[in-house]
Amino acid sequence: ERHITLHSATAIELSCRLSKKYSHLKNPQVSWKRGNETIGNVNKIGNSWNINLEVLDSSKLGSYSCNVIGEEISSVVHLQLPKIDENKKPIISYEGDTAVMICKSHDYTPLSWTWYMINGSKQVAINDSLPDKYVIDRIPTNVTHLKIRKVTEEDDGVYWCEAAFKLGKSKGKQQLIVLSFLVPLKPFLGVVAEVIVFLTVVFLYELYSKRKKNTEDEKECDQVEQL
């Protein structure tokens, strides 16, 4: 299995060759497939089988397999666009702060970058013409930064960076979690609430005990007077 990265239109030759441990196979029949589609014009040269491709757009990308007919012997080549290096962990920010998300394209320079936000089931392009809210930095050209100022709960969600190459587009995913300043205080507030409840119970118990004692003293005084 092999992965080949392509970013622009090109001509490519894919070749598979049987290793020596399969020399016992006499006149093996080999086919090339893309998915379930069999590819014609296979050139056999010695112990190898080759196909030539003109990769002009992303429709030619995908997985190509070379299979020995009647045998469980195969080889797979994946033609793919450059992958985007993304932050796998969610970015956590507090309301009012500035959040920064980064995407990178290693070894390949995109023609352009675009940022999107997922709003429900829709993908909404981020407009960097609002500098008070969004700032998109594309320098160096293989890196893009999305800066969101004064984040609010509405900014919480999933973001996509899209790199455009001559052969197609690749995407990277980022997640932004916006927290309220009350979130770190919740454990403390919980402890305070428990302390207040405890002190209230103690106070009520002391008050009840004091009233009960006064009532008993009054009854004792009444009995003494009667005597």
Side-chain angles (χ1 to χ4, degrees), residues 128-181:
D128 60 349
S129 64
L130 304 173
D132 294 336
K133 184 64 177 178
Y134 301 109
V135 176
I136 299 178
D137 185 8
R138 303 178 181 87
I139 299 176
T141 52
N142 66 323
V143 181
T144 179
H145 299 75
L146 171 61
K147 182 185 294 183
I148 305 177
R149 296 173 173 172
K150 298 179 181 179
V151 296
T152 64
E153 290 184 353
E154 295 179 353
D155 297 318
D156 187 291
V158 177
Y159 293 77
W160 290 89
C161 57
E162 184 180 81
F165 299 94
K166 291 181 179 179
L167 202 57
K169 297 178 180 180
S170 292
K171 291 184 178 181
K173 181 180 178 181
Q174 304 271 290
Q175 183 178 7
L176 175 62
I177 298 176
V178 180
L179 302 178
S180 169
F181 281 105

Side-chain angles (χ1 to χ4, degrees), residues 30-143:
V30 174
S31 68
W32 273 95
K33 290 185 176 182
R34 181 176 183 268
N36 295 323
E37 179 187 355
T38 301
I39 301 173
N41 299 323
V42 178
N43 300 320
K44 184 178 184 302
I45 302 176
N47 201 32
S48 65
W49 291 261
N50 312 322
I51 57 173
N52 294 291
L53 301 175
E54 291 285 339
V55 185
L56 303 178
D57 53 44
S58 58
S59 65
K60 291 292 186 179
L61 300 178
S63 298
Y64 293 79
S65 61
C66 176
N67 309 278
V68 179
I69 299 174
E71 303 285 342
E72 293 185 357
I73 305 171
S74 64
S75 177
V76 182
V77 179
H78 303 283
L79 301 183
Q80 61 190 23
L81 287 166
K83 290 186 176 181
I84 303 302
D85 185 10
E86 59 191 29
N87 190 355
K88 301 298 182 181
K89 295 181 179 180
I91 297 172
I92 300 176
S93 183
Y94 289 98
E95 288 182 325
D97 288 348
T98 297
V100 179
M101 287 171 278
I102 303 174
C103 286
K104 298 179 182 179
S105 172
H106 292 289
D107 302 325
Y108 300 93
T109 301
L111 300 174
S112 63
W113 287 97
T114 307
W115 282 91
Y116 298 91
M117 181 183 181
I118 302 301
N119 186 0
S121 59
K122 296 182 179 180
Q123 186 171 269
V124 181
I126 293 176
N127 188 354
D128 60 349
S129 64
L130 304 173
D132 294 336
K133 184 64 177 178
Y134 301 109
V135 176
I136 299 178
D137 185 8
R138 303 178 181 87
I139 299 176
T141 52
N142 66 323
V143 181

Side-chain angles (χ1 to χ4, degrees), residues 192-218:
V192 171
E194 290 179 0
V195 171
I196 291 175
V197 171
F198 176 75
L199 293 178
T200 302
V201 171
V202 171
F203 173 76
L204 293 175
Y205 176 77
E206 292 292 337
L207 184 61
Y208 171 76
S209 299
K210 187 175 181 181
R211 287 183 177 180
K212 184 177 180 181
K213 184 177 180 181
N214 291 337
T215 303
E216 291 176 352
D217 290 342
E218 288 177 359

